[in-house]
Amino acid sequence: MRYEELADVPCSITRPLVIFGDRWTLLILKFAFSGIRRFNGFQSALGISRSRLQDRLDRLIEHEILVKKKAAVGAHEEYRLTQKGHDIYPILMAIRDWGDTYMAPDGPPVRYTHQGCTGEAHANLECDVCGQVLTARDVLPEAGPGLLEPEVQSVNQVAT
């Protein structure tokens, strides 16, 4: 299966990977959340080629995750997160939690603290009805309304 064909797979885990399934896109988003808004700022922070950076920024704009706007001050343009872009933040925090647990032997290199509080931000998976914290062992993938009958495969194939 070609990478672009993944967008047609009826799976809400697989489809987004077409947009941000490479390291550069997620790193661009990480820096966008840290306040970088200009092309040169992203390029300087990432050390990425101009053409690759432009390709990833264009893809994020195409999918309405970023919007390109004229800066409030100065003649340059800025890349700003949309609401759709802001909704990706928990994904980055989940990756950060995993990295802190398994890839930070000396402890977390950065703490993400709640402003005005001493608490730290973490991504948590919980049931939307009872509020119980869940793990993969607690979740059962079932066919949903977006899985069209003629395309029905094993739900486990789609969900995993």
Side-chain angles (χ1 to χ4, degrees):
M1 181 178 295
R2 291 182 37 224
Y3 189 68
E4 295 80 21
E5 293 171 345
L6 293 174
D8 297 328
V9 174
C11 174
S12 295
I13 294 173
T14 305
R15 287 177 177 165
L17 291 177
V18 174
I19 301 169
F20 49 82
D22 70 275
R23 66 178 177 225
W24 294 118
T25 304
L26 290 174
L27 288 170
I28 289 167
L29 290 169
K30 172 192 172 256
F31 283 108
F33 279 108
S34 73
I36 293 178
R37 295 186 177 133
R38 295 180 63 183
F39 185 94
N40 290 340
F42 287 114
Q43 187 180 32
S44 176
L46 294 166
I48 186 175
S49 73
R50 294 181 72 78
S51 62
R52 181 162 287 156
L53 175 58
Q54 190 64 64
D55 176 67
R56 298 316 188 272
L57 289 168
D58 288 345
R59 184 183 317 151
L60 290 167
I61 290 168
E62 174 188 346
H63 290 279
E64 300 174 344
I65 294 167
L66 291 178
V67 64
K68 191 174 182 179
K69 291 184 174 182
K70 183 120 174 111
V73 177
H76 62 275
E77 292 184 313
E78 296 181 334
Y79 295 90
R80 305 293 299 252
L81 288 157
T82 63
Q83 184 58 52
K84 189 175 178 180
H86 278 277
D87 288 345
I88 293 170
Y89 195 69
I91 296 168
L92 294 177
M93 289 295 96
I95 292 169
R96 189 274 330 236
D97 282 344
W98 187 89
D100 283 352
T101 300
Y102 297 105
M103 302 185 82
D106 298 324
V110 177
R111 291 187 65 229
Y112 291 80
T113 57
H114 181 193
Q115 289 184 23
C117 173
T118 60
E120 190 166 343
H122 292 281
N124 294 308
L125 183 64
E126 63 182 41
C127 176
D128 68 347
V129 173
C130 71
Q132 180 179 342
V133 175
L134 304 173
T135 71
R137 291 180 177 93
D138 302 313
V139 177
L140 175 64
E142 297 178 340
L147 188 63
L148 303 175
E149 287 301 320
E151 300 175 357
V152 173
Q153 304 166 12
S154 164
V155 173
N156 288 333
Q157 282 181 322
V158 173
T160 57

